[in-house]
Amino acid sequence: MNTSSPITKSDFLRYLECPAYFWFFKKKPEVLENIKLSDFQKELIKNGQEVELWARKLFSHGILVESRESEAIKETKKYLEAEEKVIFQATFETENLYAMVDILQWDDSNKYWIINEVKGTSSKDKKDKKHLYDATFQYILLKKAGYDVGQVNLIELDKEFRKKGDIKARKLLKTTDITETAKELEEEINLMIDDMKRILQNKREPLPCECIYKSRSNHCPAFKYLHPDVPDYSVHDIIRIGSSLKRLEGLIEGGHIPIGEVPEDFKLTDPQRNHVNVEQSKNPIIDTIEIKKQLTELVYPLYFLDYETYPTAVPIYDGCRPYQQVPFQYSLHILDKPNGKLTHHEYIHTDTESHPMIALADSLMKVMGDNGSIIVWNKKFEGKCHEDLADLLPQHAEIFHGYNQRIFDLMEIFSQQHYLHHEFKGSFSIKAVLPVLIPELSYKDLNVRDGAMAMNGWKSMMFEMTEQKEKEQMENDLLRYCELDTLAMVKILEVLQNL
Ligand code: SF4
């Protein structure tokens, strides 16, 4: 049991999420589940680190604290004594609080310190509350340590930035003075700091845990330990139950925790009732009339299209914005007529020198005909890719806007519950639907099995791998994954057409 480790910025953010979670993290971390970072979260951290490197370029002379923990505090002290004016990752500990300031800057004319907090997010008019609290935590800590802090800045990616040639840090980033907000929050956060210290004195586990009344996505890694009787799939997973908390409360109070135990007369929305009914009866809902009606909209030839994309905080390619999804690969199955011939086309960008979107667009326009429905799974995603392609290539804008006119979202048959199966477990992702409708087609045997793996795989292939053989293997793995996405749509449509 850890009783003395100082309260860090991350601990403070955990406390903001839930004081009880903060206690478990500090005092009983062994009971927490699933705290390993996902590939997606690791990528977000890397993006944040990259933005920090860019932010350092805004300062002409800075010295980096390279060590960590107690050594970092000593190193910072050394640089402060040497009257360094800009210190990257300056680290402080006082009154059992610990924080690393991304960029600490001495303002010689005003004779005070400036805290610059760097975030890998893009600038918005309304600042993320967490960022403001995080920066104010550092402001308080430095004041407690006896430093005169006159200004607090938030440095973020400028959401209006669009890459054109070499990137300039001052164009990529936007600095906002948040000193007044930090001052306004100071009293509130000081009270929170006192509360965190009080919580850490508690030897007993904090009670009660209110998340029994919240939907699954709100539960922290302590939930399973605190509620061992709640199954992994329960009323907390009923579709959109997070927007019907009164109903969830009613179910919990009535002791109806497994979905199978929801009473027949318990009031739910129609989609929620459908979800519960298929779960209880194990009989799927298949609205053949509505499905057939929707399928009459299809115009042959059918184009089953799927993109894989790669977003980065700092754009790599000209014309792109921070975090823009850059399509680097597509798979396209074409069915010329009912029960006709199925052909397959694909593209993956492997050249590190050229723009993936330009090459992908060239390839796609050669095989995509002028007529016929374009079938996708989640038109918001593919539709946005077309908008971005139109934006980047105005000479072809009409073509890509035209693609969006022809889009047919196969997912909607499932998201609108015209086809609902208990084995979907409330999801309408293609990965949930495919194994139920076509069990012989599976993602399980592939080396790349989801979008996050595809994103990371492409990045490794393009920018990290050095062995040709390894690159070829990854290219093949990515092609097989994207191909299965469109083949899955072909087969799912066949099942629907044969109802
Ligand atoms: S499950 Fe919810 S209430 Fe319980 S400790 Fe975690 S975040 Fe807090």
Side-chain angles (χ1 to χ4, degrees):
M1 190 180 282
N2 191 351
T3 49
S4 58
S5 74
I7 298 167
T8 65
K9 278 196 304 177
S10 310
D11 292 330
F12 175 51
L13 295 178
R14 262 173 227 116
Y15 167 85
L16 289 177
E17 231 175 271
C18 167
Y21 176 37
F22 162 73
W23 186 91
F24 276 101
F25 195 90
K26 296 293 278 180
K27 309 285 268 188
K28 215 169 179 179
E30 65 278 9
V31 304
L32 301 178
E33 274 205 328
N34 304 325
I35 46 174
K36 250 177 83 186
L37 294 177
S38 66
D39 284 354
F40 180 72
Q41 288 166 319
K42 284 187 202 154
E43 198 56 28
L44 279 183
I45 291 172
K46 277 193 203 151
N47 275 321
Q49 288 164 343
E50 200 194 350
V51 175
E52 199 174 324
L53 292 181
W54 275 96
R56 288 182 198 163
K57 295 181 198 228
L58 295 171
F59 301 83
S60 46
H61 300 288
I63 189 146
L64 173 67
V65 173
E66 303 216 29
S67 40
R68 287 286 166 267
E69 299 178 357
S70 56
E71 285 307 307
I73 297 164
K74 285 187 208 151
E75 200 183 331
T76 304
K77 205 162 167 242
K78 189 176 85 189
Y79 297 146
L80 288 167
E81 283 165 2
E83 299 192 347
E84 290 290 347
K85 301 275 188 279
V86 177
I87 306 174
F88 304 137
Q89 302 202 337
T91 309
F92 300 89
E93 185 180 335
T94 191
E95 297 182 19
N96 209 32
L97 306 172
Y98 177 98
M100 200 161 71
V101 178
D102 292 330
I103 302 168
L104 184 68
Q105 174 193 9
W106 175 249
D107 183 328
D108 219 14
S109 43
N110 289 306
K111 305 289 178 220
Y112 58 53
W113 289 101
I114 301 174
I115 290 174
N116 292 283
E117 172 68 4
V118 184
K119 293 289 177 203
T121 45
S122 57
S123 56
K124 299 174 216 88
D125 297 335
K126 197 165 167 9
K127 298 286 167 215
D128 189 326
K129 196 174 157 194
K130 264 192 189 172
H131 297 169
L132 299 172
Y133 276 62
D134 188 351
T136 308
F137 179 81
Q138 297 167 50
Y139 172 65
I140 292 173
L141 192 156
L142 260 73
K143 279 182 70 179
K144 282 183 190 290
Y147 295 93
D148 184 7
V149 181
Q151 193 172 330
V152 184
N153 293 334
L154 197 58
I155 302 179
E156 293 174 285
L157 293 159
D158 186 342
K159 70 175 182 343
E160 306 299 335
F161 176 79
R162 197 178 277 256
K163 185 177 180 300
K164 192 174 174 202
D166 290 342
I167 294 179
K168 300 218 172 15
R170 65 191 160 74
K171 298 250 175 195
L172 172 72
L173 301 161
K174 198 167 176 179
T175 302
T176 313
D177 182 343
I178 55 160
T179 316
E180 283 315 305
T181 313
K183 284 181 182 165
E184 280 163 27
L185 291 174
E186 192 176 351
E187 195 184 332
E188 183 190 346
I189 295 179
N190 261 319
L191 290 173
M192 289 176 172
I193 289 172
D194 291 345
D195 190 40
M196 283 193 282
K197 289 181 178 174
R198 237 186 338 265
I199 287 172
L200 289 184
Q201 301 297 321
N202 291 343
K203 293 210 165 50
R204 284 221 305 263
E205 292 177 8
L207 284 171
C209 170
E210 290 295 325
C211 274
I212 190 80
Y213 300 112
K214 294 185 186 161
S215 65
R216 184 76 62 185
S217 60
N218 292 289
H219 300 173
C220 86
F223 185 83
K224 185 84 189 150
Y225 169 76
L226 292 166
H227 304 283
D229 299 338
V230 174
D232 288 341
Y233 183 54
S234 63
V235 287
H236 301 91
D237 300 287
I238 292 176
I239 191 162
R240 290 191 274 279
I241 199 71
S243 320
S244 317
L245 291 181
K246 277 264 162 254
R247 292 189 179 113
L248 180 60
E249 193 183 323
L251 289 167
I252 304 293
E253 296 291 318
H256 315 299
I257 293 181
I259 297 185
E261 292 177 14
V262 175
E264 224 175 283
D265 57 355
F266 191 89
K267 197 167 170 8
L268 292 167
T269 64
D270 289 347
Q272 289 169 343
R273 177 47 66 191
N274 290 340
H275 183 180
V276 169
N277 284 352
V278 292
E279 184 59 38
Q280 292 183 340
S281 68
K282 310 294 182 213
N283 289 327
I285 292 175
I286 305 175
D287 184 347
T288 317
I289 296 172
E290 181 57 34
I291 293 172
K292 291 220 180 287
K293 192 175 132 208
Q294 293 206 7
L295 297 186
T296 56
E297 285 171 27
L298 292 175
V299 177
Y300 284 82
L302 302 180
Y303 297 89
F304 301 82
L305 178 65
D306 183 64
Y307 294 117
E308 296 307 323
T309 59
Y310 182 57
T312 51
V314 180
I316 303 174
Y317 302 104
D318 274 3
C320 294
R321 299 174 302 278
Y323 292 110
Q324 181 175 328
Q325 299 282 351
V326 175
F328 60 82
Q329 171 178 13
Y330 75 77
S331 170
L332 180 74
H333 274 95
I334 307 176
L335 186 64
D336 60 349
K337 56 183 183 205
N339 304 315
K341 197 169 134 224
L342 187 68
T343 49
H344 182 238
H345 302 270
E346 60 192 359
Y347 175 81
I348 183 163
H349 196 70
T350 55
D351 174 25
T352 49
E353 302 299 316
S354 56
H355 199 311
M357 291 171 75
I358 297 175
L360 175 141
D362 274 350
S363 165
L364 185 64
M365 286 186 296
K366 283 185 191 130
V367 285
M368 181 74 86
D370 298 334
N371 299 299
S373 302
I374 298 175
I375 302 181
V376 299
W377 198 276
N378 187 7
K379 70 178 175 196
K380 248 172 126 177
F381 181 77
E382 263 73 22
K384 181 74 175 80
C385 288
H386 293 148
E387 278 170 28
D388 288 342
L389 285 163
D391 208 23
L392 182 75
L393 304 164
Q395 68 277 29
H396 301 306
E398 214 176 304
I399 295 178
F400 289 107
H401 287 141
Y403 290 175
N404 278 354
Q405 302 293 319
R406 294 157 55 192
I407 256 182
F408 179 92
D409 192 348
L410 195 57
M411 184 179 80
E412 284 180 0
I413 292 195
F414 300 89
S415 62
Q416 293 169 0
Q417 297 189 327
H418 303 309
Y419 197 124
L420 186 62
H421 195 288
H422 69 279
E423 285 179 34
F424 297 164
K425 293 211 176 315
S427 166
F428 34 84
S429 124
I430 198 163
K431 269 96 188 162
V433 172
L434 182 69
V436 179
L437 269 66
I438 302 114
E440 61 278 15
L441 263 192
S442 167
Y443 287 85
K444 269 198 228 125
D445 303 328
L446 298 180
N447 291 328
V448 172
R449 290 178 295 279
D450 59 41
M453 286 177 89
M455 205 170 78
N456 287 330
W458 187 72
K459 182 187 76 173
S460 309
M461 180 184 81
M462 292 290 280
F463 310 114
E464 293 161 7
M465 289 175 178
T466 49
E467 296 291 322
Q468 189 55 27
K469 250 188 136 169
E470 207 186 356
K471 286 187 185 194
E472 282 167 13
Q473 177 65 49
M474 180 51 78
E475 182 182 341
N476 190 50
D477 290 343
L478 288 164
L479 288 171
R480 297 299 59 81
Y481 167 68
C482 199
E483 181 181 7
L484 183 55
D485 270 342
T486 50
L487 183 64
M489 288 192 276
V490 173
K491 296 295 174 192
I492 290 170
L493 180 66
E494 268 175 25
V495 171
L496 300 178
Q497 285 174 323
N498 289 326
L499 287 173

